Amino acid sequence: MSAPHVLPQDVFDRIVALRRDLHQHPELSWSEHRTMDRICAQLDDLGIPYRKAVAGTGILADLPGVHDGPRIGLRADTDALPVHEETGLDFASVHDGVMHACGHDGHTSMLVGAAQLLLAKPPPLPVRLIWQPAEEKGQGAKALVEEGALDGVSMIFGGHLDRHYPPGTLVVTDGPVNASTDTFRVEITGKQGHGARPHEAVDAVVIGSLFVTSLQTIVSREIDPAHPSVVSVGRFDAGSAPNVIAGRAVLEGTIRAQQPSVREHLSRSIERIARAIGELHGAGMKVEVLRGTPPVINPPLSTSLARAAAADVVGADNVLTLHTANMGGEDFAYYLEQIPGAYIRYGAQVPGRESFPAHSSRFDIHEDALGVGAAWLDRVARVAGDHVLVTGG
């Protein structure tokens, strides 16, 4: 399937041109000023009123429905990453060290396409279009919720381009689809000493090494294997010279879980192990667990609406489920903490480029996915609106 088959040609041409313009001029989280202006220019051209600079660089736009009632929300993210582009595209980033390496240029453009479709044929209920900044920081969704982005919205839908699946497919999965993204920091206070006289010191390197090794037993021995989870140490900083026993060490890492109960268990276990090792070696252990985004968990009912809309767009045979658990984070979770909705994946695999993952310098998408995504956003607003009208919620 190719996108022109599911979208009018003028809509497809609009979103491809916008995607390429945004890709060439990427902006980092909370700095999406040109991006915001380009979206607003599109809305001005379509005659759609909007509220700009929401939470800094966000945009909210409301489209009328055939009937009054609660709105259906559609969300796209707008920010890029601090990555130097190496795709070789004609429209590659002009900003060194900044790149749309996660497809947010595509998400932004899809929502503009959906806006044009919804404007041409009003949906059953009003629709709120949300262009959100700072997803890569895990902060934008929460900031927009605090600014009232969900006021009057009964359900919300969004998605992410995914190079694991071919264009013309949509991936709709019940339950957990993204992991939580907490981080931890452990500061070990031992006693510095001469490398030749270890009995006079309390070695922070040995203590830290035991801590790292012990962490590996949390997931393997404390968590149900049916619940994917990760505890990884990404930084271990200690020592000043080869013949000096370190008296201090700092370790930092990430905690990923798809179930809230597992998320809490992992944090408690890290703190418990740190305390026990500190007691064992007579060292100070200061532990901080910093909360990141919650897991994204698609509720059954709203996910069934997303799946029905996907089948309408690409056919039931092209509606897939996730191959494996996705341990990446996504701040769409903050919306789903407030109201039902669903977060899906748009197949966007580029032949010959499957090995270049999101956040890499050679990440690219198949532009046919833009049309499929825009068509799905349009359709899910209609399917969800019909459901709310019939059932009242």
Side-chain angles (χ1 to χ4, degrees), residues 207-288:
I207 297 166
S209 299
L210 178 59
F211 177 71
V212 172
T213 303
S214 299
L215 289 184
Q216 309 314 306
T217 65
I218 299 175
V219 172
S220 67
R221 290 296 177 267
E222 297 184 23
I223 304 300
D224 185 335
H227 295 154
S229 51
V230 173
V231 176
S232 294
V233 176
R235 176 177 176 242
F236 189 148
D237 185 15
S240 58
N243 63 340
V244 176
I245 291 174
R248 180 178 179 274
V250 174
L251 295 88
E252 295 177 333
T254 188
I255 311 167
R256 304 293 174 110
Q258 293 198 330
Q259 298 288 343
S261 60
V262 174
R263 181 189 192 190
E264 300 304 324
H265 184 108
L266 294 175
S267 296
R268 290 195 303 268
S269 293
I270 289 170
E271 293 171 346
R272 184 193 77 240
I273 289 172
R275 287 195 304 270
I277 290 175
E279 183 69 21
L280 178 66
H281 286 276
M285 304 288 283
K286 180 182 178 182
V287 182
E288 294 179 280

Coordinates of all heavy atoms in Angstrom, one line a residue, residues 207-288:
I207 N 33.2 -1.7 46.5 CA 31.8 -1.6 46.9 C 30.9 -1.3 45.7 O 29.8 -2.0 45.6 CB 31.7 -0.5 48.0 CG1 32.5 -0.8 49.2 CG2 30.2 -0.3 48.3 CD1 32.7 0.3 50.2
G208 N 31.3 -0.4 44.9 CA 30.5 -0.1 43.7 C 30.4 -1.3 42.8 O 29.3 -1.6 42.2
S209 N 31.5 -2.1 42.6 CA 31.4 -3.2 41.8 C 30.5 -4.3 42.3 O 29.7 -4.9 41.5 CB 32.9 -3.8 41.6 OG 33.7 -2.9 41.1
L210 N 30.5 -4.5 43.6 CA 29.6 -5.4 44.2 C 28.1 -5.0 44.0 O 27.2 -5.8 43.7 CB 29.9 -5.6 45.7 CG 28.9 -6.5 46.5 CD1 28.9 -7.9 45.9 CD2 29.3 -6.5 48.0
F211 N 27.9 -3.7 44.1 CA 26.6 -3.1 43.9 C 26.1 -3.4 42.5 O 25.0 -3.8 42.3 CB 26.6 -1.6 44.2 CG 25.3 -0.9 43.9 CD1 24.2 -1.1 44.8 CD2 25.2 -0.1 42.9 CE1 23.0 -0.5 44.5 CE2 24.0 0.6 42.6 CZ 22.9 0.4 43.4
V212 N 27.0 -3.1 41.5 CA 26.6 -3.4 40.1 C 26.3 -4.8 39.9 O 25.2 -5.2 39.2 CB 27.7 -2.9 39.1 CG1 27.4 -3.4 37.7 CG2 27.9 -1.4 39.2
T213 N 27.1 -5.7 40.4 CA 26.8 -7.2 40.2 C 25.6 -7.6 40.9 O 24.8 -8.4 40.4 CB 28.0 -8.0 40.8 OG1 29.2 -7.5 40.2 CG2 27.8 -9.4 40.6
S214 N 25.3 -7.1 42.1 CA 24.1 -7.4 42.8 C 22.8 -7.0 42.1 O 21.8 -7.6 42.2 CB 24.2 -6.9 44.2 OG 25.3 -7.4 44.9
L215 N 22.9 -5.8 41.4 CA 21.7 -5.3 40.7 C 21.2 -6.3 39.7 O 20.0 -6.3 39.4 CB 22.1 -4.0 40.1 CG 22.3 -2.7 40.9 CD1 22.4 -1.5 40.1 CD2 21.1 -2.5 41.9
Q216 N 22.2 -7.1 39.1 CA 21.8 -8.0 38.1 C 20.8 -9.1 38.5 O 20.1 -9.7 37.7 CB 23.0 -8.6 37.4 CG 24.1 -7.7 37.0 CD 23.6 -6.5 36.3 OE1 22.9 -6.6 35.3 NE2 24.0 -5.3 36.7
T217 N 20.7 -9.3 39.8 CA 19.8 -10.3 40.4 C 18.4 -9.8 40.5 O 17.5 -10.6 40.7 CB 20.4 -10.9 41.7 OG1 20.3 -9.8 42.7 CG2 21.8 -11.4 41.6
I218 N 18.2 -8.5 40.5 CA 16.8 -8.0 40.7 C 15.9 -8.5 39.6 O 14.9 -9.2 39.9 CB 16.8 -6.5 40.8 CG1 17.7 -5.9 41.9 CG2 15.4 -6.0 40.9 CD1 17.8 -4.4 41.9
V219 N 16.2 -8.2 38.4 CA 15.3 -8.7 37.3 C 15.3 -10.2 37.1 O 14.3 -10.8 36.9 CB 15.8 -8.0 36.0 CG1 15.0 -8.5 34.8 CG2 15.5 -6.5 36.1
S220 N 16.5 -10.8 37.3 CA 16.6 -12.2 37.0 C 16.0 -13.1 38.1 O 15.6 -14.2 37.8 CB 18.1 -12.6 36.8 OG 18.8 -12.5 37.9
R221 N 15.9 -12.6 39.3 CA 15.5 -13.4 40.4 C 14.3 -12.9 41.2 O 13.8 -13.6 42.1 CB 16.7 -13.7 41.4 CG 17.7 -14.6 40.8 CD 17.2 -16.0 40.5 NE 18.1 -16.9 39.9 CZ 18.2 -17.0 38.6 NH1 17.5 -16.4 37.8 NH2 19.1 -17.9 38.1
E222 N 14.0 -11.6 41.0 CA 12.9 -11.0 41.8 C 11.6 -10.7 41.0 O 10.6 -10.5 41.5 CB 13.4 -9.8 42.5 CG 14.5 -10.0 43.5 CD 14.8 -8.7 44.3 OE1 14.0 -7.8 44.3 OE2 16.0 -8.6 44.8
I223 N 11.8 -10.6 39.7 CA 10.7 -10.1 38.8 C 10.2 -11.3 38.0 O 10.9 -12.1 37.4 CB 11.1 -9.0 37.9 CG1 11.7 -7.8 38.7 CG2 10.0 -8.5 37.0 CD1 10.8 -7.2 39.7
D224 N 8.9 -11.4 37.9 CA 8.2 -12.4 37.0 C 8.7 -12.3 35.6 O 8.7 -11.2 35.0 CB 6.7 -12.2 37.1 CG 5.9 -13.3 36.3 OD1 6.5 -13.9 35.4 OD2 4.7 -13.5 36.7
P225 N 9.3 -13.3 35.0 CA 9.8 -13.2 33.6 C 8.7 -12.7 32.6 O 9.1 -12.3 31.5 CB 10.2 -14.6 33.3 CG 10.5 -15.3 34.6 CD 9.5 -14.7 35.6
A226 N 7.5 -12.9 32.9 CA 6.4 -12.4 32.0 C 6.3 -10.9 32.0 O 5.5 -10.3 31.2 CB 5.1 -13.0 32.4
H227 N 7.0 -10.2 32.9 CA 6.9 -8.7 33.0 C 8.3 -8.2 32.6 O 9.2 -8.1 33.5 CB 6.6 -8.3 34.4 CG 5.2 -8.7 34.9 ND1 4.9 -8.9 36.2 CD2 4.1 -9.0 34.1 CE1 3.6 -9.3 36.3 NE2 3.1 -9.4 35.0
P228 N 8.5 -7.7 31.4 CA 9.7 -7.2 30.9 C 10.2 -6.0 31.8 O 9.4 -5.1 32.1 CB 9.5 -6.8 29.5 CG 8.3 -7.6 29.1 CD 7.5 -7.8 30.3
S229 N 11.4 -6.0 32.2 CA 12.0 -4.9 33.0 C 13.5 -4.9 32.8 O 14.1 -5.9 32.4 CB 11.6 -5.1 34.4 OG 11.9 -6.4 34.9
V230 N 14.1 -3.7 33.1 CA 15.5 -3.5 32.9 C 16.1 -2.7 34.1 O 15.4 -1.7 34.5 CB 15.8 -2.8 31.6 CG1 17.3 -2.5 31.5 CG2 15.4 -3.7 30.4
V231 N 17.2 -3.1 34.6 CA 18.0 -2.2 35.5 C 19.4 -2.2 34.9 O 20.1 -3.2 34.8 CB 18.0 -2.7 36.9 CG1 18.9 -1.8 37.8 CG2 16.6 -2.7 37.5
S232 N 19.9 -1.0 34.4 CA 21.2 -0.9 33.8 C 22.0 0.3 34.4 O 21.4 1.4 34.6 CB 21.1 -0.6 32.3 OG 20.5 -1.7 31.7
V233 N 23.2 0.0 34.7 CA 24.2 1.1 35.2 C 24.9 1.6 34.0 O 25.5 0.9 33.2 CB 25.2 0.5 36.2 CG1 26.2 1.6 36.6 CG2 24.5 0.0 37.4
G234 N 24.7 2.9 33.8 CA 25.4 3.5 32.6 C 26.6 4.4 32.9 O 27.3 4.7 32.0
R235 N 26.8 4.7 34.2 CA 27.9 5.5 34.6 C 28.4 5.0 35.9 O 27.7 4.7 36.9 CB 27.5 7.0 34.8 CG 28.6 7.9 35.3 CD 28.1 9.4 35.3 NE 29.1 10.2 35.9 CZ 29.0 10.9 37.1 NH1 27.9 10.9 37.7 NH2 30.0 11.6 37.5
F236 N 29.8 4.8 36.0 CA 30.5 4.4 37.2 C 31.7 5.3 37.3 O 32.7 5.1 36.5 CB 30.8 3.0 37.1 CG 31.4 2.4 38.4 CD1 31.1 1.0 38.7 CD2 32.1 3.1 39.3 CE1 31.6 0.4 39.9 CE2 32.6 2.5 40.5 CZ 32.4 1.2 40.8
D237 N 31.7 6.3 38.2 CA 32.8 7.3 38.2 C 33.5 7.2 39.6 O 32.9 7.3 40.6 CB 32.2 8.7 38.1 CG 33.3 9.7 38.0 OD1 34.5 9.4 37.8 OD2 32.9 10.9 38.1
A238 N 34.8 6.8 39.6 CA 35.5 6.6 40.8 C 37.0 6.8 40.6 O 37.5 6.5 39.5 CB 35.2 5.3 41.5
G239 N 37.7 7.1 41.6 CA 39.2 7.1 41.6 C 39.8 8.3 41.0 O 39.2 9.1 40.2
S240 N 41.1 8.5 41.3 CA 41.8 9.7 40.8 C 43.2 9.3 40.4 O 43.9 10.1 39.6 CB 42.0 10.8 41.9 OG 42.6 10.2 43.1
A241 N 43.7 8.1 40.8 CA 45.1 7.7 40.4 C 45.2 6.2 40.5 O 44.5 5.6 41.3 CB 46.1 8.4 41.3
P242 N 46.1 5.6 39.8 CA 46.2 4.1 39.8 C 46.6 3.5 41.1 O 46.4 2.4 41.4 CB 47.1 3.8 38.7 CG 47.9 5.0 38.4 CD 47.0 6.1 38.7
N243 N 47.3 4.3 41.9 CA 47.8 3.8 43.2 C 47.1 4.4 44.4 O 47.6 4.4 45.5 CB 49.3 4.1 43.3 CG 49.6 5.6 43.3 OD1 48.8 6.4 42.9 ND2 50.8 5.9 43.8
V244 N 45.9 4.9 44.2 CA 45.1 5.5 45.3 C 43.8 4.8 45.3 O 43.1 4.7 44.3 CB 44.8 7.0 45.0 CG1 43.9 7.5 46.1 CG2 46.2 7.8 45.0
I245 N 43.4 4.2 46.4 CA 42.1 3.6 46.6 C 41.1 4.6 46.7 O 41.2 5.6 47.5 CB 42.1 2.7 47.9 CG1 43.0 1.5 47.6 CG2 40.7 2.2 48.2 CD1 43.2 0.6 48.8
A246 N 40.1 4.5 45.9 CA 39.0 5.5 45.8 C 38.2 5.5 47.1 O 37.7 4.5 47.6 CB 38.1 5.3 44.6
G247 N 38.0 6.7 47.6 CA 37.1 6.9 48.8 C 35.7 7.3 48.4 O 34.8 7.4 49.3
R248 N 35.5 7.5 47.1 CA 34.1 7.9 46.7 C 33.8 7.4 45.3 O 34.7 7.3 44.5 CB 34.0 9.5 46.7 CG 32.7 10.0 46.3 CD 32.7 11.6 46.3 NE 31.5 12.2 45.9 CZ 31.1 12.4 44.6 NH1 32.0 12.2 43.7 NH2 30.0 13.0 44.3
A249 N 32.6 7.0 45.1 CA 32.2 6.6 43.7 C 30.8 7.1 43.5 O 30.0 7.2 44.5 CB 32.3 5.1 43.6
V250 N 30.4 7.4 42.3 CA 29.1 7.7 41.9 C 28.7 6.8 40.7 O 29.4 6.7 39.7 CB 29.0 9.2 41.4 CG1 27.6 9.5 40.9 CG2 29.4 10.1 42.6
L251 N 27.5 6.2 40.9 CA 26.9 5.3 39.9 C 25.6 5.9 39.5 O 24.8 6.3 40.3 CB 26.8 3.9 40.4 CG 28.1 3.1 40.7 CD1 28.5 3.4 42.2 CD2 27.9 1.7 40.5
E252 N 25.3 5.8 38.2 CA 24.0 6.3 37.7 C 23.5 5.2 36.7 O 24.2 4.6 36.0 CB 24.1 7.6 37.0 CG 24.4 8.8 38.0 CD 24.6 10.1 37.3 OE1 24.9 10.1 36.1 OE2 24.4 11.1 38.0
G253 N 22.2 5.1 36.6 CA 21.6 4.1 35.7 C 20.1 4.4 35.4 O 19.5 5.3 35.9
T254 N 19.5 3.5 34.7 CA 18.1 3.6 34.2 C 17.3 2.4 34.7 O 17.9 1.3 34.9 CB 18.0 3.7 32.7 OG1 16.7 4.0 32.3 CG2 18.4 2.4 32.0
I255 N 16.1 2.6 35.0 CA 15.1 1.6 35.5 C 14.0 1.6 34.5 O 13.3 2.7 34.3 CB 14.6 1.9 36.9 CG1 15.7 2.2 37.8 CG2 13.8 0.7 37.4 CD1 15.3 2.8 39.2
R256 N 13.7 0.5 33.9 CA 12.6 0.4 32.9 C 11.6 -0.7 33.3 O 12.0 -1.8 33.7 CB 13.1 0.1 31.5 CG 14.1 1.1 31.0 CD 13.5 2.5 30.7 NE 14.5 3.5 30.4 CZ 14.6 4.0 29.2 NH1 13.7 3.6 28.2 NH2 15.4 5.0 28.9
A257 N 10.3 -0.4 33.3 CA 9.3 -1.4 33.6 C 8.0 -1.1 32.9 O 7.7 0.1 32.5 CB 9.0 -1.4 35.1
Q258 N 7.2 -2.1 32.6 CA 6.0 -1.9 31.9 C 4.8 -2.1 32.8 O 3.6 -1.8 32.3 CB 5.9 -2.9 30.7 CG 6.9 -2.7 29.6 CD 6.5 -3.4 28.3 OE1 5.8 -4.4 28.3 NE2 6.9 -2.8 27.2
Q259 N 5.0 -2.4 34.0 CA 3.9 -2.5 35.0 C 4.2 -1.6 36.2 O 5.3 -1.6 36.7 CB 3.7 -4.0 35.5 CG 3.4 -5.0 34.4 CD 2.0 -4.9 34.0 OE1 1.1 -4.2 34.6 NE2 1.6 -5.4 32.8
P260 N 3.2 -0.8 36.7 CA 3.4 0.0 37.8 C 4.0 -0.7 39.0 O 4.8 -0.2 39.7 CB 2.1 0.7 38.0 CG 1.4 0.6 36.7 CD 1.9 -0.6 36.1
S261 N 3.5 -1.9 39.3 CA 3.9 -2.6 40.5 C 5.4 -3.0 40.4 O 6.1 -3.0 41.4 CB 3.0 -3.8 40.7 OG 3.1 -4.7 39.6
V262 N 5.8 -3.4 39.2 CA 7.2 -3.8 38.9 C 8.1 -2.6 39.0 O 9.2 -2.6 39.6 CB 7.3 -4.5 37.6 CG1 8.8 -4.7 37.2 CG2 6.5 -5.8 37.5
R263 N 7.6 -1.5 38.5 CA 8.3 -0.2 38.6 C 8.7 0.1 40.1 O 9.8 0.4 40.4 CB 7.5 0.9 38.0 CG 8.1 2.3 38.0 CD 7.1 3.4 37.6 NE 7.8 4.6 37.3 CZ 7.1 5.8 37.1 NH1 5.8 5.8 37.2 NH2 7.8 6.9 36.9
E264 N 7.7 0.0 41.0 CA 7.9 0.3 42.4 C 8.9 -0.8 43.0 O 9.7 -0.4 43.8 CB 6.6 0.3 43.1 CG 5.6 1.3 42.6 CD 6.1 2.7 42.6 OE1 6.9 3.1 43.6 OE2 5.8 3.5 41.7
H265 N 8.7 -2.0 42.6 CA 9.5 -3.1 43.2 C 11.0 -2.8 42.8 O 11.9 -3.0 43.7 CB 9.1 -4.4 42.6 CG 9.8 -5.6 43.2 ND1 9.3 -6.5 44.1 CD2 11.1 -6.0 43.1 CE1 10.2 -7.4 44.5 NE2 11.3 -7.1 43.8
L266 N 11.3 -2.5 41.6 CA 12.7 -2.2 41.2 C 13.3 -1.1 42.0 O 14.5 -1.2 42.4 CB 12.7 -1.9 39.7 CG 12.3 -3.0 38.7 CD1 12.2 -2.4 37.3 CD2 13.2 -4.2 38.8
S267 N 12.6 0.0 42.2 CA 13.1 1.1 43.0 C 13.4 0.7 44.4 O 14.5 1.0 44.9 CB 12.2 2.3 43.0 OG 12.0 2.8 41.6
R268 N 12.5 0.0 45.0 CA 12.7 -0.5 46.4 C 13.9 -1.4 46.5 O 14.7 -1.4 47.5 CB 11.5 -1.2 46.9 CG 10.3 -0.3 47.2 CD 9.2 -0.9 48.0 NE 8.8 -2.2 47.4 CZ 7.7 -2.3 46.6 NH1 7.0 -1.2 46.3 NH2 7.3 -3.5 46.2
S269 N 14.1 -2.3 45.5 CA 15.2 -3.3 45.5 C 16.5 -2.6 45.4 O 17.5 -3.0 46.1 CB 15.0 -4.3 44.4 OG 13.8 -5.1 44.7
I270 N 16.6 -1.6 44.6 CA 17.9 -0.9 44.4 C 18.2 -0.2 45.8 O 19.4 -0.3 46.2 CB 17.7 0.2 43.3 CG1 17.7 -0.5 41.9 CG2 18.9 1.2 43.3 CD1 17.3 0.4 40.8
E271 N 17.3 0.4 46.4 CA 17.6 1.0 47.7 C 17.9 0.0 48.8 O 18.8 0.2 49.6 CB 16.3 1.8 48.1 CG 16.0 3.0 47.2 CD 14.7 3.7 47.5 OE1 13.9 3.1 48.2 OE2 14.5 4.8 47.0
R272 N 17.3 -1.2 48.8 CA 17.5 -2.2 49.7 C 18.9 -2.8 49.6 O 19.7 -2.9 50.5 CB 16.5 -3.3 49.6 CG 16.6 -4.5 50.6 CD 15.8 -5.7 50.2 NE 16.5 -6.5 49.2 CZ 15.9 -6.7 48.0 NH1 14.7 -6.2 47.7 NH2 16.6 -7.4 47.1
I273 N 19.3 -3.0 48.3 CA 20.6 -3.6 48.0 C 21.7 -2.6 48.4 O 22.8 -2.9 49.0 CB 20.7 -4.0 46.6 CG1 19.9 -5.3 46.3 CG2 22.2 -4.3 46.2 CD1 19.7 -5.6 44.9
A274 N 21.5 -1.3 48.1 CA 22.5 -0.3 48.4 C 22.7 -0.2 50.0 O 23.9 -0.2 50.4 CB 22.1 1.1 47.9
R275 N 21.6 -0.2 50.7 CA 21.8 -0.2 52.2 C 22.5 -1.4 52.7 O 23.4 -1.3 53.6 CB 20.4 -0.1 52.8 CG 19.6 1.2 52.7 CD 18.5 1.3 53.6 NE 17.5 0.2 53.5 CZ 16.5 0.2 52.7 NH1 16.3 1.2 51.9 NH2 15.7 -0.9 52.6
A276 N 22.2 -2.6 52.2 CA 22.8 -3.8 52.7 C 24.3 -3.8 52.4 O 25.2 -4.2 53.2 CB 22.2 -5.0 52.0
I277 N 24.7 -3.4 51.2 CA 26.1 -3.4 50.8 C 26.9 -2.3 51.6 O 28.0 -2.5 52.0 CB 26.3 -3.1 49.3 CG1 25.8 -4.4 48.5 CG2 27.7 -2.8 48.9 CD1 25.8 -4.2 47.0
G278 N 26.2 -1.2 51.8 CA 26.9 -0.2 52.7 C 27.2 -0.7 54.1 O 28.2 -0.5 54.7
E279 N 26.2 -1.4 54.7 CA 26.3 -2.0 56.0 C 27.4 -3.0 56.0 O 28.2 -3.1 56.9 CB 25.0 -2.6 56.4 CG 25.0 -3.2 57.8 CD 25.1 -2.1 58.9 OE1 24.8 -0.9 58.6 OE2 25.5 -2.4 60.0
L280 N 27.5 -3.8 54.9 CA 28.5 -4.9 54.8 C 29.9 -4.3 54.8 O 30.8 -4.9 55.5 CB 28.2 -5.7 53.6 CG 29.2 -6.8 53.3 CD1 29.1 -7.9 54.3 CD2 28.9 -7.4 51.9
H281 N 30.1 -3.2 54.2 CA 31.5 -2.7 54.0 C 31.7 -1.5 54.9 O 32.8 -0.9 54.8 CB 31.7 -2.4 52.5 CG 31.9 -3.6 51.7 ND1 33.1 -4.2 51.6 CD2 31.0 -4.3 50.9 CE1 33.0 -5.3 50.8 NE2 31.8 -5.3 50.3
G282 N 30.8 -1.0 55.7 CA 31.0 0.1 56.5 C 31.1 1.4 55.7 O 31.9 2.3 56.0
A283 N 30.3 1.5 54.6 CA 30.4 2.7 53.7 C 29.1 3.4 53.7 O 28.0 2.8 54.0 CB 30.7 2.2 52.3
G284 N 29.1 4.7 53.4 CA 27.9 5.5 53.3 C 27.3 5.2 51.9 O 28.1 5.2 50.9
M285 N 26.0 5.1 51.8 CA 25.4 4.8 50.5 C 24.2 5.8 50.4 O 23.2 5.6 51.1 CB 24.9 3.4 50.4 CG 26.0 2.3 50.6 SD 27.1 2.2 49.2 CE 26.1 1.3 48.0
K286 N 24.3 6.8 49.6 CA 23.2 7.7 49.3 C 22.5 7.4 48.0 O 23.1 7.4 47.0 CB 23.7 9.1 49.3 CG 22.6 10.2 49.1 CD 23.2 11.6 49.0 CE 22.1 12.6 48.7 NZ 22.7 14.0 48.6
V287 N 21.2 7.0 48.1 CA 20.5 6.6 46.9 C 19.4 7.6 46.5 O 18.6 8.0 47.4 CB 19.8 5.2 47.1 CG1 19.1 4.7 45.9 CG2 20.9 4.2 47.5
E288 N 19.3 8.0 45.3 CA 18.3 8.8 44.7 C 17.6 8.1 43.6 O 18.4 7.7 42.6 CB 18.8 10.2 44.3 CG 19.3 11.1 45.4 CD 19.8 12.4 44.8 OE1 21.0 12.4 44.3 OE2 19.1 13.4 44.9

